[in-house]
Each structure stands twice: as C-alpha cells, then as structure tokens.
Amino acid sequence: MNRGYNPADKVFLAVDCIIFGFDNEDLKVLLIKRDFEPEKGKWSLMGGFLKKDETLNDAASRILFKLTGMHNIYMEQLYSFSEVNRDPVARTISTSYYAIINIEKHNEELIANYGAKWFSLAKAPHLIFDHDEMLGKAIRRLRRRTSISPIGFELLPEKFTMRQLQKLYEAILDKELDKRNFINKINSMDILIKLKEKDMSSSTKGSYLYMFDQEKYDDKQTNNFYLKL
Amino acid sequence: MNRGYNPADKVFLAVDCIIFGFDNEDLKVLLIKRDFEPEKGKWSLMGGFLKKDETLNDAASRILFKLTGMHNIYMEQLYSFSEVNRDPVARTISTSYYAIINIEKHNEELIANYGAKWFSLAKAPHLIFDHDEMLGKAIRRLRRRTSISPIGFELLPEKFTMRQLQKLYEAILDKELDKRNFINKINSMDILIKLKEKDMSSSTKGSYLYMFDQEKYDDKQTNNFYLKL
DNA sequence: TCAAAAGTGTTTAGTCTACACCCATGA
DNA sequence: TCATGGGTGTAGACTAAACACTTTTGA
C-alpha cells in the first residue's frame, strides 16, 4: 500500500560544502560569489542538488570536484539543515559537508570561474541563507575532530616543518601552543617521519622536514585516540 | 532563473528515530514491528516522512510523540543516509535522530499499538533497510556524548541511587567501572544533590538517593567538559 | 550471625604544563 | 658579530587508576 509515500511531501535536497585550506598562516575557507539568483552577488558556500542516482557523499564529491578540480578529498557529513523557509525559492533541505584540502593543489582557474575566494576565518563575509551557521558548525566539528584523530595530512604539503604543523594546529584551535610541548605530543603519536632534509626558507639555520607515515597515520585515524592540546 | 531547481530531483525525506531507554540493568532500544509493506513483520526503527511545514526536528518530535506519548524528549540529529536503493519503494533519504527517554514514562498502550518492544542492545534483532547501521552510529554517538556532556537526567527516574547512575554509565559504555573512582568523578562534576532519603529496595542497608541539580546540570550540558571514565 | 549491598581514602603511576637557553647561519 | 628562527629537557602539579575493609540491617 506504500503507506506514507505522498508525492506532495517530496523536497529538494541540496548539498553545501565547507571547504577548508591552510596557507601556512591562517585557516581559510573557500567561498563563492553567486552569479545567479537568488541572492546574486552575495557570498555563499559551494553547493548543488542531490541527483537521482547519487548518494549524498557522491554529490559532495561531485561538487568539490567542480570547484577545486580535485578528487578524493577528505570530507565528512556535518548536519542537515531544514528550516522551512531557509531557501526562498523552494522547500529545500540542505545536508552540509566539510572538506579539507591542500590549498596548493586546487585548480586556480576553476575557482576563478566561480568567482570563488579564500577567506581567513576571522575575515569571512556574511553568507546567504543559513550558511553562516553551517560554517560555524564546521569549525566546531573540525576542532573536535582534531582532538580525536590526527588531521593535517590533507592540509599540508607532502613535506613540512614542525613549525608549519604547529601553526596549522594553532590556526584550527585558534590558540597558541608551546613549541616544546607540541613537539613532544606529536612525537608521542608516532605518525611522523623525520627527514634528513631541511627547509631553509624560513630561517638561516633551517628546519628539518617531516612526512606523515601513511600507514601509522591511517591506523591512528581509524582507531581513534585522544590528543589534548 | 531558479537555476538547478529541477523537480525531477525531488526526493522523499524520512526521519528515523533511535530511542534509548534504561531499565536499571541494560541500555535498551525501542523497535517497532512493521504491520505494513515493505518488509511487513520485520523489526525497524520508528520513522515517518518530513511534512511540508515542519523542520527535521519537528518531524522527529512528532514521530517520538506518536510512539511514546511524550513531549520534549532529549534528541539529537545523527546522520543522513542516502544510499540510492536503501528504500525499495521510492528514492528516500533518511535523516536519523537518536533520543533518550525515561523508560517508565512512556505510554505502554501506544507502543503496544505499534507492536513496539524494548530490546537490550545485545539482543536487538536484525533491522530492515540500513537501520542496523543507524543504530550502530547512534550507540557510538551516545558513548561519545557521555564523555562531553552529562547524560542521565533523561534516562533515570527523578530520584536515583549512585549505583543506578553507575549502572547507567556502565550500560552506555559497556564496561565495568570502579565504584569509588566513579563516585569521585561524578562528585567532582558537581551536578548532583544528595538527599536525606534512602532507597531500601536494593539492600538492607539502603542507599542514599540523589537528584540532578537542574541548574548546574543545564549549565554543564551547554558548556561542555571532558569526563573520562 | 550472616549474607548482601553500601559506603568510604590513599598511594602510585602517568600525563600535562610551564618554563629558558644554546645553536646554526646568512647578512 | 648579530639577528633570526630552530632545537632541546626537566621539575612540579595535577589527574587517573588501582585497590580492601567496615557498615547496616533483614532474614
């Protein structure tokens, strides 16, 4: 009898993506300037509609690829927003995803086409609809995530210095960390490989480069731990 | 131009609820026996469709009320499930909510009408669609939630003993706790009021009853903390 | 008088925090 | 030779974990 399946209840389901990147200084978010109605000219998250034959994850991947040109981006479903009038055009529920990418790897041309720009979190403009709320939730989730599974691989270049990693954590958590305590904690996680190479760009002495130990890293990411910073 | 709003992309949006209760012994989940197709006769979570003029939270509250007769139930949105063929009748995305209720306060008659039954987690039957996955995610979320905000108020009677509270945490975390360490940690949270009354039902000596200090409790719940058990 | 559950503190180990000085190098 | 950022260890405070005996009272 297909009880309850009433076509009048059908809704649009959108996916909106909060895309984080790190430029060695600030944690940034990628926003697009809408060149279409409604709210043309305003800033918003990159989004799109769920299509017939895809899952929400598929849709998020598709949307992320469209804007960045990148595949296999680290992402996580965040929350579904459903205020009745959140979208003025039609009843639309939006499932938000947050993603973190290496800021150097995205396709500049694509993001220019979308009128997209990276914003430091502190300087992000007001966004349309409930996108500010989405962004806020994403930041909080990212902070929490940082405590229970290592993050950084996705946001840093392949080789990086301890100070870069520390700056990343400081940017995510929005607080300063003690460099000696930081290095001790990171080392106790046992997920980094110290290279013989040094990066000479930031100081005369030069600082050692590190890489993530992919295997140990993946392991720690699935078998959660608790890192207090 | 309403770009992208293509009616063919509209979907059904369902809400499924994982309802937890505690009977002083086990953590239990309330499941219904479906008396309608598809999968008639099988066990499932209580669910329903999102209606035109309600948010997902509204829908979850409505569904919870329908089954339990209770208002203002503690609940939290969990995750949206979207496998293309998860529902054999029509493309349906389901947003799951978990709720925790005082098992003594629900309406027995209502749940009988739905052929619903409480199951200990260890003994829960196989559920339809992706409901097993929903239940698993809910249990993990509830465990994590336990560490960052006090839980129990919703699951225990107004007055309860320390041992009941400990049993509740043991049931949620599925591990045994040391009673002296437990009592110290709980006291350090400073959210309980120790009453002069004793509960004489469980031992000859009797054990003191406690109540939650509503004000402090609410405060701790919003300003998260970290409780390691 | 004994069985059954309640109540109660201390010691030890581990982890977190705060903190200051020397090093290497290019300008 | 000096200015700049890099690198390194330890002591004290705090928190978590392990652990055993006494109390009460109804049967």
Side-chain angles (χ1 to χ4, degrees):
Chain A
M1 64 176 266
N2 294 347
R3 154 170 157 168
Y5 293 86
N6 174 3
D9 291 331
K10 282 181 141 188
V11 293
F12 289 107
L13 189 47
V15 170
D16 288 302
C17 297
I18 299 99
I19 305 173
F20 291 114
F22 178 64
D23 69 352
N24 284 331
E25 197 58 45
D26 283 329
L27 188 62
K28 303 207 154 180
V29 61
L30 186 55
L31 301 173
I32 67 169
K33 190 160 197 168
R34 287 166 76 94
D35 69 342
F36 50 92
E37 296 295 346
E39 303 276 10
K40 185 169 167 172
K42 302 263 183 72
W43 293 97
S44 85
L45 299 171
M46 178 72 177
F49 289 95
L50 179 75
K51 304 286 180 203
K52 267 193 144 16
D53 295 313
E54 62 182 8
T55 63
L56 287 164
N57 279 6
D58 293 340
S61 293
R62 170 171 59 77
I63 290 160
L64 289 168
F65 176 72
K66 235 163 96 176
L67 183 58
T68 65
M70 296 166 65
H71 286 293
N72 298 117
I73 292 176
Y74 175 95
M75 62 177 201
E76 191 184 333
Q77 186 186 306
L78 196 57
Y79 197 80
S80 297
F81 291 80
S82 61
E83 283 302 316
V84 174
N85 296 308
R86 56 175 296 285
D87 182 321
V89 177
R91 181 75 202 274
T92 305
I93 280 66
S94 170
T95 299
S96 52
Y97 276 74
Y98 80 94
I100 54 187
I101 70 172
N102 184 325
I103 208 163
E104 288 169 3
K105 288 197 185 144
H106 74 271
N107 186 319
E108 302 273 359
E109 215 173 294
L110 275 175
I111 83 159
N113 286 347
Y114 281 98
K117 243 189 84 180
W118 288 98
F119 288 88
S120 294
L121 292 186
K123 292 177 188 156
H126 174 66
L127 306 178
I128 64 158
F129 302 174
D130 44 10
H131 289 193
D132 283 325
E133 199 185 339
M134 292 180 181
L135 176 56
K137 232 182 168 66
I139 294 168
R140 290 191 297 276
R141 178 79 68 94
L142 178 60
R143 289 201 178 126
R144 225 173 313 129
R145 175 66 60 242
T146 299
S147 309
I148 56 169
S149 92
I151 245 170
F153 194 80
E154 295 82 4
L155 285 157
L156 290 173
E158 195 189 5
K159 300 173 182 180
F160 52 87
T161 68
M162 230 359 131
R163 307 315 296 288
Q164 275 178 289
L165 186 61
Q166 184 178 341
K167 283 234 155 118
L168 169 63
Y169 273 89
E170 290 180 334
I172 291 175
L173 300 173
D174 192 28
K175 69 171 177 186
E176 297 202 347
L177 301 170
D178 178 278
K179 67 178 169 178
R180 277 170 296 186
N181 292 339
F182 181 77
I183 207 171
N184 288 339
K185 271 176 198 164
I186 296 297
N187 283 337
S188 74
M189 285 201 290
D190 186 32
I191 52 169
L192 294 188
I193 299 168
K194 188 175 190 169
L195 303 176
K196 300 236 180 322
E197 284 175 81
K198 283 189 162 192
D199 169 85
M200 303 304 294
S201 66
S202 64
S203 76
T204 56
K205 186 178 177 184
S207 56
Y208 284 105
L209 288 165
Y210 291 80
M211 287 178 67
F212 286 100
D213 183 327
Q214 184 82 54
E215 210 172 298
K216 288 178 178 169
Y217 184 86
D218 291 346
D219 188 61
K220 290 276 153 68
Q221 213 165 37
T222 43
N223 307 315
N224 288 354
F225 66 98
Y226 193 77
L227 174 70
K228 199 168 169 212
L229 284 172
Chain B
M1 65 176 269
N2 294 346
R3 153 170 157 172
Y5 294 85
N6 174 2
D9 291 332
K10 283 182 142 188
V11 294
F12 288 107
L13 189 46
V15 170
D16 288 302
C17 297
I18 299 98
I19 305 172
F20 290 113
F22 178 63
D23 69 352
N24 286 328
E25 197 56 47
D26 282 330
L27 189 62
K28 304 206 154 180
V29 60
L30 186 56
L31 301 173
I32 66 169
K33 191 159 197 168
R34 287 167 74 96
D35 68 343
F36 50 91
E37 294 296 345
E39 304 275 9
K40 184 170 166 172
K42 301 263 182 73
W43 291 98
S44 86
L45 298 171
M46 178 73 177
F49 289 95
L50 179 76
K51 304 286 180 203
K52 266 191 145 17
D53 295 314
E54 61 182 8
T55 64
L56 286 164
N57 279 4
D58 293 340
S61 293
R62 172 173 55 78
I63 290 160
L64 288 168
F65 176 71
K66 235 163 95 175
L67 182 57
T68 65
M70 295 165 67
H71 287 293
N72 297 118
I73 291 175
Y74 176 95
M75 63 177 201
E76 192 183 333
Q77 186 186 306
L78 195 58
Y79 196 81
S80 297
F81 291 80
S82 61
E83 282 302 316
V84 175
N85 296 308
R86 56 175 296 286
D87 182 321
V89 177
R91 181 77 203 275
T92 305
I93 281 67
S94 170
T95 300
S96 53
Y97 277 73
Y98 80 92
I100 54 187
I101 69 172
N102 184 326
I103 208 165
E104 289 169 2
K105 287 197 186 141
H106 73 269
N107 186 319
E108 301 273 358
E109 218 173 289
L110 276 175
I111 83 159
N113 287 347
Y114 281 98
K117 241 188 87 180
W118 288 97
F119 288 89
S120 294
L121 293 185
K123 292 177 190 158
H126 176 65
L127 306 177
I128 63 158
F129 301 175
D130 45 10
H131 289 193
D132 282 325
E133 201 185 338
M134 293 180 180
L135 176 57
K137 233 183 167 68
I139 294 168
R140 290 191 297 276
R141 178 78 69 95
L142 178 60
R143 288 199 179 129
R144 226 173 313 129
R145 176 65 61 242
T146 299
S147 309
I148 57 171
S149 91
I151 247 170
F153 193 80
E154 294 82 4
L155 285 156
L156 289 174
E158 196 190 3
K159 300 173 181 180
F160 51 87
T161 67
M162 225 10 124
R163 307 314 298 285
Q164 274 178 291
L165 185 61
Q166 184 178 342
K167 282 233 155 121
L168 169 62
Y169 273 90
E170 289 180 335
I172 291 175
L173 301 173
D174 194 26
K175 70 170 176 185
E176 296 202 350
L177 301 170
D178 178 279
K179 67 179 170 178
R180 277 169 296 186
N181 291 338
F182 181 77
I183 207 170
N184 288 338
K185 272 177 197 161
I186 295 296
N187 282 336
S188 75
M189 286 201 290
D190 186 31
I191 51 170
L192 294 187
I193 300 168
K194 187 176 189 169
L195 304 176
K196 298 237 180 320
E197 282 175 83
K198 283 190 161 192
D199 169 86
M200 303 304 296
S201 66
S202 65
S203 75
T204 57
K205 188 179 177 185
S207 56
Y208 283 105
L209 287 165
Y210 290 80
M211 286 178 69
F212 286 101
D213 183 327
Q214 184 82 51
E215 211 172 297
K216 289 178 178 168
Y217 183 87
D218 290 345
D219 187 62
K220 291 275 154 69
Q221 212 164 39
T222 43
N223 307 313
N224 287 353
F225 65 96
Y226 193 77
L227 173 70
K228 198 167 171 214
L229 285 173

